[in-house]
């Protein structure tokens, strides 16, 4: 199903080259000041144009169809639409027969018995995250805390001064490269989340893993915790408001916020679509053939991911506040 | 909320030292052969008794209260109960005033305004995973594929011959140690999962992060993917059934199973409860004091985690089959 | 929340005089032939223009934004939009201060703290049922059985030859009138629905009572059953396929379809908006004053309701097939 | 599925002659005073023993398994169990081959492919409402308003002095009789419920129709509204707190509480199980044969229904407060 959340519900729809993409948001309190101008900053952060991003340029101007009246949310569902403009669909015809390695092409055709819209990845396109980012803006207003994110690594390198160089080299070799995003949420109250199934980690990871290209999620010191002793890993509580000396727990104990900043890291794989020649199956002939993917793709989708990760975290936290 | 799933629903309940723990399972097809004997092998794998596990011994014999008639599931909800037997509750009185570092004690008292059952961790106890393991047995029968798991690392060491030594040393120093579990699911059909919010990764991680002590989850090559180029990371499709040359995707593309084995790794932090003296807040005086945790705890909870991870994966997959 | 269903999910949005109304449908199987032409017949049945209906004329032409490709459903969410065209919003300014008796005006302003879009009833408008009817068309294709409906009574009179006369007289006296709709679903398989909470009656009534103006729902012989003896009311099973001699149960036993036609009746109250002078509160002065409602309203909304009732039944049944 | 609610969730389980019946409640705020003594009054109102009720006597003493500590709710899920004691299962063997007219026997065997527990109606038994009544007690504490109910009619007769006589006569003729229950909820705040799918009527009717034997539900003047003109049916708002001169709306406009009492009426059909000889199918021979139902049944289940109706209303309203 393409909706998420019981308290703040996000329903996404649309295809990359179809009539548009969008989102319906439900559970928004009335009286929140909201306009297209509020949406633009985060939408701009997601846009292509920077280093390592696709040459497909979209204006990505949202239309607020419902749920806002006289500049304020009404409490009714908010629908936000984005037109598709800059589409070149004949790039994709070849991919029905030659499914891209590590892309959804092959599973989509199987799952939907050949009826999936294959143009630009259809409903599997990263373009669907436009609605997620718009939802994130509204969620941030609901959650009302400080959410920031940062690119921690590109291609395993954490020296930010090297990022441009790595990406440039990758692009010139018709390849792509992955990265790690860290997101920090500060200023949350104590007690958000539920034990077990609706732990903050559970709900947040659910959303984070719905972002295309995410293959790993860790909270606090994450996988590093598995290498430590309890005496090294435990966070000593040092104040009555619950402040801890270290924050290896990443702000969450027993699935519940402890008042310290939430820290989460997300592994983004390299874009599957690369111009570099690759072997793949010809689904008609059954032969393995060489595929050269045309079309316009991001050499490093991680560059556009921070604001999407923030949106996912905001939407997750909006379930609890 | 303490229930999960729309198709196969798991509702857990109980406290570590209360009237018992259990689970209600809904959405089970009728006609599945099921008895207490079917539940025992996985429950035994979860039991304490092995190296690095607590000295609290529980018989953990399940009672099937409903949903089974004449040895077969009826299609009605199945309730499975476990009595609490070996409880020593006065170990825990001290912890209300001295919340254990990196444990749920402090957040539980805040979230529930002092009404939480603190004995043995109450509803936050790892004992609740008994119900999860029982649910996993039923889910495995529904999913009907091959689910295995393995302890990949203890304390950062992957040489299995060293595990006993590391844990023994940890126990003797009144400490605890973390580990990494890998789970592989083989024999699934193509097309399970949904794009975006109900991707297999989303639903599986939701459940995996609800297991106490889990702080990281990665699929396929996970965080390693973030360090690779597309040409290195992409999995070439080589047969008509979708077999890929490598399996860096961990059996999932676009959130949907591609027929190759699902591979997931889970980071387990060291048990928070250690006998080693630690500093923590005295919530009455507001002073930081030294705490020595009595009670019986696992030095390496990762040793008991594999079957719990399998159960989580089976429950996740039972939403899709 | 403005969405319904776990298997076939309907999310409605929009306001009567805002940017449009619409619906997002999720859980649609791929490969169902669908076009705007398929939607038009039921949308036309809902339209105004006939006897007893409003003079607000809307073209009600749907736009299928997503989820259909080359004439077939793709399996991705389908969004259907309707523009608002023929709006005269200044009819409604007066109603913020003078809430209409038995209308949502007063509760809406309270619930949403004065931020609700009051124009044309905003999100409470019967115009939202456009999306429901469109969803019904898709649901009917999924359910694939015979759904018909009929106006059983207008103003308590069951002689159809009198309907036009009653309504005409009502309109001329600036008043409105209620009615009863009966819907019959034939050709369903045995075994749809669940005991208790997801009984067919539960799920269907949930949707039927979400239709504005519905105040009563009964299945089979309904309230009449309360006046009978078991020996009079029980339906004798007379064939191996479960056919019963009578159908007082309305095709449902224990919440589950028994293969006989589902029969449901729905009571529609008279439109609350009448031009007839009425007393109501002036919310500013606190005085009771006389209100004469301008604007264009249906004298007998029951005339437009049959197709909406069918849609609700189809959406309900699409949860089970 | 056998659970209901997103905010206050009720999951029922059990069979009439199996290991017991019970309920898991989730979403209960911590700190509510609760004990078995609180549950007893409503459970007693549901018990058999009065006129028109079965001779099967059960002690119906609840066991609170979890979620209560030191006399107060903890915020964790509350499980309440009831043992089955007074079972005579061989009464039921005959009914597998001779499904009772208007009972769930036939659909249950079809839906669950012959695996359903048929003893005492199994999971379809009215005994499952024990859990509903217990849930209702907790819901009433959450909702904190005045919920009362009354038997309005028995067998179509509204003169209460005649009820005993009608039932007595019915019992002596080995028959059963239906009735109408009215429930009134007073003291609710304005603004509960949502427009459309989660209207108070929708959510309440969903629960009311899950009670076995309910075939009709109407709010306010219900079906009577369909016979009236708007000028007769509309409720004039006469005070700033929203008090209306009449209450034909039954306290709900646009799906949302308006501060006036909620009024709902529920039609209860006569018990399907009657000793009176009836024709039904022999599912083995395919012949229609005469069935005389043994076992112990209620001649007028409506006599036990008021507290169940109250519970359903309380559970529904607990979704909104």
């Amino acid at each position: 199903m393409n909706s998420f959340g019981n308290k703040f519900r996000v329903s996404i729809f649309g295809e990359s080259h179809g009539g548009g993409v969008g989102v319906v948001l439900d559970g928004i309190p009335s009286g929140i000041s909201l306009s297209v101008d509020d949406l633009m900053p985060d939408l701009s952060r997601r846009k292509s144009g920077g280093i390592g991003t696709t040459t497909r340029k979209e204006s990505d101007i949202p239309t607020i169809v419902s749920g806002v009246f006289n500049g304020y949310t009404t409490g009714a569902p908010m629908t936000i639409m984005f037109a598709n403009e800059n589409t070149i669909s004949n790039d994709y015809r070849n991919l029905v027969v030659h499914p891209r390695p590590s892309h959804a092409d092959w599973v989509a055709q199987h799952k939907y018995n050949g009826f999936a819209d294959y143009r630009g990845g259809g409903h599997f396109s990263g373009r669907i995250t436009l609605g997620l980012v718009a939802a994130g803006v509204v969620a941030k207003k609901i959650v009302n805390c400080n959410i920031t994110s940062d690119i921690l690594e590109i291609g395993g390198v954490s020296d930010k001064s090297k990022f441009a160089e790595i990406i440039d080299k990758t692009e010139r070799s018709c390849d792509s490269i992955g990265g790690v995003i860290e997101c920090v949420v500060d200023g949350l109250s104590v007690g958000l989340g539920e034990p077990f199934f609706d732990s903050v980690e559970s709900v947040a990871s659910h959303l984070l893993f719905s972002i295309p290209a995410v293959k790993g999620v860790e909270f606090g010191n994450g996988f590093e915790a598995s290498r430590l002793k309890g005496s090294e890993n435990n966070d000593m509580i040092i104040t009555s408001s619950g402040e801890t000396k270290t924050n290896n727990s990443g702000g969450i104990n027993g699935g519940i916020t402890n008042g310290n900043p939430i820290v989460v890291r997300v592994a983004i794989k390299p874009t599957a679509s690369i111009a570099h020649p690759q072997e793949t199956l010809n689904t008609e002939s059954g032969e393995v053939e060489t595929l050269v993917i045309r079309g316009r793709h991001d050499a490093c989708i991680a560059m556009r991911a921070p604001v999407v990760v923030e949106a996912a975290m905001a939407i997750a936290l909006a379930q609890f506040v």
Side-chain angles (χ1 to χ4, degrees), chain A:
Chain A
M1 289 298 200
N2 294 276
S3 57
F4 185 84
N6 278 325
K7 194 169 174 190
F8 174 67
R9 185 171 293 160
V10 177
S11 302
I12 53 171
F13 61 85
E15 285 89 22
S16 182
H17 291 208
V21 301
V23 69
V24 182
L25 308 178
D26 203 359
I28 307 171
S30 64
I32 296 179
S33 158
L34 200 98
S35 69
V36 166
D37 286 350
D38 291 313
L39 300 171
M40 291 314 297
D42 273 9
L43 291 171
S44 297
R45 290 172 63 200
R46 186 198 159 279
K47 273 181 89 163
S48 60
I51 183 169
T53 65
T54 174
T55 58
R56 173 177 176 184
K57 298 288 182 341
E58 288 280 6
S59 56
D60 291 349
I61 305 294
T63 302
I64 301 177
V65 176
S66 67
V68 174
F69 180 52
N70 289 340
Y72 291 90
T73 59
T74 61
M78 186 185 307
T79 299
I80 304 172
M81 299 273 298
F82 300 87
N84 292 327
E85 296 162 349
N86 193 344
T87 57
I88 308 179
S89 296
N90 55 2
D91 285 346
Y92 293 92
R93 288 201 192 121
N94 183 42
L95 305 180
V96 179
V97 180
H98 299 89
R100 286 168 285 182
S102 289
H103 201 282
D105 296 336
W106 193 79
V107 294
Q109 290 304 313
H110 266 68
K111 185 174 181 67
Y112 301 112
N113 301 309
F115 290 101
D117 182 350
Y118 51 80
R119 299 166 302 164
H123 184 58
F124 288 83
S125 167
R127 187 159 171 73
I128 304 297
T129 59
L130 262 176
L132 216 62
V133 170
V137 171
V138 179
K140 285 173 178 179
K141 291 205 173 203
I142 294 171
V143 170
N144 194 21
C145 62
N146 194 23
I147 306 183
T148 55
S149 60
D150 198 20
I151 302 173
L152 225 59
E153 295 180 16
I154 294 294
V157 175
S158 56
D159 178 349
K160 285 173 205 286
S161 68
K162 300 266 175 66
F163 288 0
E165 189 186 327
I166 292 167
I167 293 169
D168 185 55
K169 200 173 145 192
T170 302
E171 265 186 325
R172 276 186 284 111
S173 61
C174 297
D175 216 333
S176 64
I177 189 84
V180 175
I181 310 296
E182 185 174 84
C183 179
V184 176
V185 185
D186 204 359
L188 284 171
S189 56
V190 178
L192 305 182
E194 300 287 329
F196 291 91
F197 298 133
D198 287 344
S199 77
V200 172
E201 292 117 322
S202 286
V203 174
S205 71
H206 192 133
L207 274 160
L208 291 165
F209 274 116
S210 72
I211 303 172
V214 169
K215 295 304 276 190
V217 168
E218 57 179 12
F219 293 87
N221 59 355
F223 277 86
E224 178 63 17
S226 73
R227 304 181 191 110
L228 299 179
K229 291 178 181 170
S231 59
E232 298 164 328
N233 191 61
N234 282 355
D235 300 313
M236 311 292 150
I237 305 174
I238 53 177
T239 70
S240 296
S241 59
E243 207 185 336
T244 55
K245 203 169 174 183
T246 50
N247 186 19
N248 293 327
S249 303
I252 305 166
N253 292 130
I256 293 171
T257 57
N258 65 15
N260 295 277
I262 294 183
V263 180
V264 62
R265 273 178 307 284
V266 174
I268 311 282
K269 72 170 186 174
T271 317
S273 295
I274 54 175
H276 204 89
Q278 300 177 89
E279 303 293 295
T280 194
L281 188 75
N282 177 324
T283 57
E284 284 177 355
S285 70
E287 300 293 309
V288 172
E289 296 178 359
T290 300
L291 169 71
V292 176
I293 301 172
R294 295 175 215 290
R296 299 161 297 175
H297 301 285
D298 297 89
C300 183
I301 192 68
M303 298 301 286
R304 297 170 68 185
V307 70
V308 184
V309 169
E310 288 177 20
M313 288 303 295
I315 295 165
L317 292 165
Q319 309 305 321
F320 300 122
V321 293

